[in-house]
Amino acid sequence: MITDNDSTHDESTERALGNHPAAPHRALSPLTNAEAAHLVRLSLEAAAERSLPAGYDGIANLRLHPTSTAFPTSGGTGLAADLGVASDPDEAVSMVAGLSNLARIVAGERRDRWPQVVGEHFDQLASTLRHGPPPLPADPRRELYQRLTPSNLVQTSWTSHAPEFVPGLLSVPATYTDGTITMYFDPSDLGMTWTEAEQAGLHNLRGLTDTVEYAEHDGTTVAVLSGSVFTASRALVLDTVLRESLRVENPQYGVLAAMPVRGLLLVHVITSLRVIPALGMMLNLAGRAHATEPGPLSPWVYLVTPEGRWHPAIRQPEEGRPPGLSPALLALAHQLGRLE
């Protein structure tokens, strides 16, 4: 464990990360242990330079102790988890800053760029802590976007109204201002009911556009959509995505869909038994993105019926039984097989 007093001590950092520098570091995937140790050192130094003395907990988090003169205590928070910051219930003056997303960001950069990327990250974090979350939107009906967020990153006391879209993912009204996403678990702060905020968020989500590319293998095609931090959340308005981005109206057999990370949505329009190799492609693409890219949501693939119902595409592994097609997808495969 690295304490506040030895935050730049290499030996302690290496011990916290393990004894195999070339191996991937589980908590800071996809970095190796040596790379993770370097990121931790850079983060501790950047935090200290911004009056945020910190210690590393060994499992992907810095425990920050903001100095009272630089960061006066302020009440309330609507800050989303994108900066990886959460209050520590055990210590009033301590905060926990996650490094998982930062690890995924620097993994795509040259090593000599890491200090700049880390510095910019902590500049944004320090600014948010100093000034608080962005001001309430002046016109929430135009500025809200419904957003998917992992339920395990949100305090349970905040989620009484937030519906679960698929297991483990909540749908929450949010805004995006100067690189910071703010989620509103209590839209009464905006003078709105939950239903009003959700309707506004879905309406504005439909107005976004996607960048569409295609992954192809042996005659099987998967649409790869990107373009914004709300791209995966566009799964909430999948009918609009199909119609406007993929030029598909009412697919007869439904689609496969996956939301591995916040900026990525994968879709395969089902027309034949090619759905089976498409499932394999999507599990590979979704799993890789979920493990390495910023803003992980879910590694799973879903079958979306023509009526818009979402079902798991694969059966989860159980003791003594390997994973396989889910009952819903298996039934569809039998139906498609009879047609060929």
Side-chain angles (χ1 to χ4, degrees):
M1 180 72 69
I2 302 172
T3 68
D4 293 346
N5 293 329
D6 63 5
S7 61
T8 59
H9 193 275
D10 291 1
E11 186 180 352
S12 297
T13 307
E14 294 292 350
R15 281 203 302 271
L17 295 172
N19 296 320
H20 303 283
H25 186 264
R26 285 178 299 174
L28 292 177
S29 173
L31 302 183
T32 66
N33 278 359
E35 290 171 335
H38 183 52
L39 174 62
V40 170
R41 285 194 294 271
L42 290 175
S43 299
L44 289 165
E45 291 166 2
E49 288 168 0
R50 290 156 180 81
S51 302
L52 292 167
Y56 182 58
D57 67 0
I59 51 170
N61 301 301
L62 295 191
R63 186 174 295 275
L64 306 174
H65 303 278
T67 60
S68 57
T69 53
F71 299 96
T73 303
S74 59
T77 180
L79 187 64
D82 285 64
L83 288 176
V85 180
S87 60
D88 183 345
D90 298 324
E91 287 190 73
V93 294
S94 176
M95 303 187 77
V96 176
L99 298 182
S100 298
N101 266 347
L102 186 55
R104 292 161 183 256
I105 292 169
V106 299
E109 299 283 351
R110 298 191 317 269
R111 189 73 170 261
D112 61 357
R113 282 253 311 139
W114 285 25
Q116 179 182 341
V117 173
V118 172
E120 290 170 352
H121 179 85
F122 279 91
D123 280 340
Q124 186 180 9
L125 171 56
S127 175
T128 300
L129 294 180
R130 183 172 289 111
H131 303 295
L136 295 176
D139 189 351
R141 293 185 187 278
R142 290 180 178 272
E143 297 178 53
L144 287 175
Y145 294 90
Q146 205 67 10
R147 179 179 189 256
L148 292 175
T149 193
S151 55
N152 64 356
L153 296 183
V154 179
Q155 293 182 25
T156 10
S157 59
W158 296 355
T159 62
S160 56
H161 297 293
E164 193 172 58
F165 178 59
V166 294
L169 292 182
L170 303 176
S171 171
V172 183
T175 56
Y176 186 59
T177 308
D178 297 330
T180 297
I181 291 177
T182 306
M183 295 185 289
Y184 295 92
F185 293 93
D186 184 3
S188 65
D189 293 341
L190 306 173
M192 305 173 75
T193 66
W194 181 274
T195 301
E196 290 170 339
E198 183 178 48
Q199 289 174 346
L202 291 173
H203 173 78
N204 295 329
L205 198 58
R206 291 184 187 278
L208 298 178
T209 57
D210 304 306
T211 299
V212 184
E213 298 177 322
Y214 290 92
E216 297 186 23
H217 177 70
D218 197 23
T220 299
T221 302
V222 172
V224 181
L225 291 84
S226 59
S228 82
V229 294
F230 290 103
T231 298
S233 300
R234 296 253 295 162
L236 294 164
V237 291
L238 189 60
D239 57 333
T240 297
V241 172
L242 292 173
R243 182 175 60 253
E244 297 184 1
S245 296
L246 301 184
R247 303 291 188 262
V248 173
E249 292 273 5
N250 305 316
Q252 182 178 1
Y253 302 109
V255 303
L256 295 180
M259 307 81 68
V261 293
R262 64 192 177 198
L264 187 65
L265 176 62
L266 306 175
V267 179
H268 170 75
V269 179
I270 302 170
T271 58
S272 69
L273 280 175
R274 299 302 304 174
V275 65
I276 304 304
L279 173 62
M281 282 181 65
M282 291 179 69
L283 286 169
N284 182 42
L285 291 169
R288 190 166 55 207
H290 185 264
T292 62
E293 296 183 19
L297 294 177
S298 169
W300 305 117
V301 178
Y302 293 88
L303 169 65
V304 188
T305 68
E307 300 76 30
R309 291 192 292 271
W310 288 65
H311 303 276
I314 63 169
R315 185 186 67 233
Q316 299 302 304
E318 299 174 5
E319 187 175 352
R321 187 172 75 163
L325 298 184
S326 69
L329 185 53
L330 190 58
L332 177 59
H334 286 316
Q335 178 187 352
L336 294 169
R338 289 194 297 269
L339 299 175
E340 295 191 358

